[in-house]
Amino acid sequence: MRGFELRAKFYPLVPTLAQLAEEAQEGVDYPFEVRQVLQLQNKEYQQLCKALDKGYGFERMLPEEGYDPVYGSFICVLVTTAARKQGILMARSYNTLFGAFLPDCTLLDLENVPCQQIPLDVPPVREAVR
């Protein structure tokens, strides 16, 4: 959607998408910029939604500094499926992962945004805490 500043409720990454949506309801809406779209198979997207905080290889694809303090906006990737009905915006800021749930990705203007299909089962980037 051109000419409109879209906003989403970003929240530090929690275990499930349901918890992310619930926790973020009371949060502040932040503007955001999508730098890349990462597409998962439907089954893998559902798996991700049930285990957001597990640590996935695609996290290496997040912008190194995902928050612009000048504009107060997140610089993120959109993780979704080929249908792009809903998605999860993910960003990294100060070594913390943030996420925002988008129930309707059709509002985004993604025409010139690079898109890549990825598997979910890539090696994790975070080591398990012992």
Side-chain angles (χ1 to χ4, degrees), residues 5 8 13 17 22 44 47 51 71 96-97 99 117 126 130:
E5 180 181 76
L13 217 51
L17 181 60
E22 182 180 325
E44 291 179 329
Q47 182 182 343
Y71 294 105
T96 301
L97 292 179
Q117 292 182 349
R126 292 179 268 167
R130 296 178 194 221

Side-chain angles (χ1 to χ4, degrees), residues 95-112:
N95 292 324
T96 301
L97 292 179
F98 289 85
F101 174 62
L102 287 181
D104 185 2
C105 294
T106 62
L107 298 174
L108 300 176
D109 179 12
L110 300 171
E111 188 176 322
N112 296 317

Side-chain angles (χ1 to χ4, degrees), residues 1 9 14 16 21 30 39 41-42 44 46 86 88 98 111 115 118 128 130:
M1 199 177 232
K9 294 183 184 302
V14 293
T16 67
Y30 288 92
Q39 287 183 348
Q41 297 291 328
N42 289 339
E44 291 179 329
Q46 294 304 320
Q86 66 176 8
I88 304 165
F98 289 85
E111 188 176 322
C115 179
I118 61 165
R130 296 178 194 221

Side-chain angles (χ1 to χ4, degrees), residues 1 17 24 26-27 34 36-37 40 42 44 49 55 64 69 89 91 105 112 123 127 129:
M1 199 177 232
L17 181 60
E26 302 299 321
V34 176
Q36 185 172 13
V37 176
L40 296 171
N42 289 339
E44 291 179 329
C49 291
E64 195 57 39
L89 295 169
C105 294
N112 296 317
E127 292 190 24
V129 178

Side-chain angles (χ1 to χ4, degrees), residues 24-85:
Q25 278 183 332
E26 302 299 321
V28 177
D29 288 325
Y30 288 92
F32 61 89
E33 175 188 347
V34 176
R35 292 271 173 97
Q36 185 172 13
V37 176
L38 302 176
Q39 287 183 348
L40 296 171
Q41 297 291 328
N42 289 339
K43 183 178 178 182
E44 291 179 329
Y45 179 79
Q46 294 304 320
Q47 182 182 343
L48 173 67
C49 291
K50 293 176 184 174
L52 280 176
D53 65 345
K54 206 170 195 156
Y56 299 97
F58 72 79
E59 292 173 9
R60 285 186 227 116
M61 302 170 98
L62 299 177
E64 195 57 39
E65 187 50 53
Y67 183 75
D68 183 339
V70 174
Y71 294 105
S73 64
F74 279 94
I75 302 161
C76 53
V77 300
L78 172 65
V79 182
T80 186
T81 63
R84 294 189 187 177
K85 291 181 181 176

